[in-house]
Amino acid sequence: MDAEGGNGKEEARKTGLGGLPLLGGSHGSVRSVGSDLQLRQMLDSLKSLKTPAVINYGASWCSVCSQILPPFCRFSNEFKNFTFIYTDIDGCPETTQNIRYTPTFHFYRDGERVDEMLGAGEERLHDRLWLHS
């Protein structure tokens, strides 16, 4: 419970993914992963689903992550064949220990990581999604 009697994690869930506020309050079809266990399970499920996916590794303290998250959510509605996943690196310290830059985007096809994009850029992200769709 926080100082005002509410649950801080619950409030973060309502305001945005991983505590990041989203413009318009919409998450599109982005799945939020908040723990190492959830991220490992999500990565395992990508292998069995064989669908294209993109994981956005961000951080609540990263201003660039905050800027790219709304377009990422919008793109989840445009590229419906993709599975869109957001994870805050601070919530998954074991599974994200090799992430050295935020945001980092990992692209998956047939359960295997096929590409990585470091940094933001709405047009760059859109082009990568188009390339992998």
Side-chain angles (χ1 to χ4, degrees):
M1 298 288 249
D2 62 22
E4 296 170 2
N7 182 328
K9 287 183 181 179
E10 180 67 17
E11 288 304 310
R13 188 186 63 75
K14 289 179 183 175
T15 59
L17 300 173
L20 293 176
L22 298 177
L23 298 176
S26 174
H27 299 174
S29 59
V30 176
R31 297 177 187 178
S32 180
V33 174
S35 71
D36 285 310
L37 177 62
Q38 287 178 337
L39 184 55
R40 281 192 292 274
Q41 290 172 337
M42 183 62 70
L43 291 169
D44 287 343
S45 74
L46 292 179
K47 291 177 184 178
S48 64
L49 292 176
K50 303 287 187 185
T51 60
V54 58
I55 300 177
N56 176 352
Y57 294 94
S60 59
W61 44 263
C62 171
S63 63
V64 176
C65 298
S66 298
Q67 293 169 359
I68 197 63
L69 190 56
F72 182 76
C73 293
R74 281 197 316 276
F75 293 151
S76 73
N77 291 322
E78 183 177 337
F79 294 91
K80 293 189 182 292
N81 62 321
F82 265 88
T83 299
F84 281 74
I85 303 160
Y86 173 82
T87 188
D88 189 307
I89 62 168
D90 293 326
C92 306
E94 292 173 24
T95 49
T96 63
Q97 63 186 341
N98 293 324
I99 301 296
R100 298 287 179 229
Y101 189 89
T102 57
T104 292
F105 299 88
H106 286 171
F107 297 85
Y108 289 81
R109 176 160 299 283
D110 295 326
E112 299 296 324
R113 192 171 93 193
V114 295
D115 197 5
E116 176 180 69
M117 182 180 121
L118 303 178
E122 187 171 342
E123 190 172 329
R124 282 179 60 220
L125 180 57
H126 183 275
D127 290 349
R128 285 280 175 85
L129 290 165
W130 179 83
L131 177 69
H132 294 293
S133 62

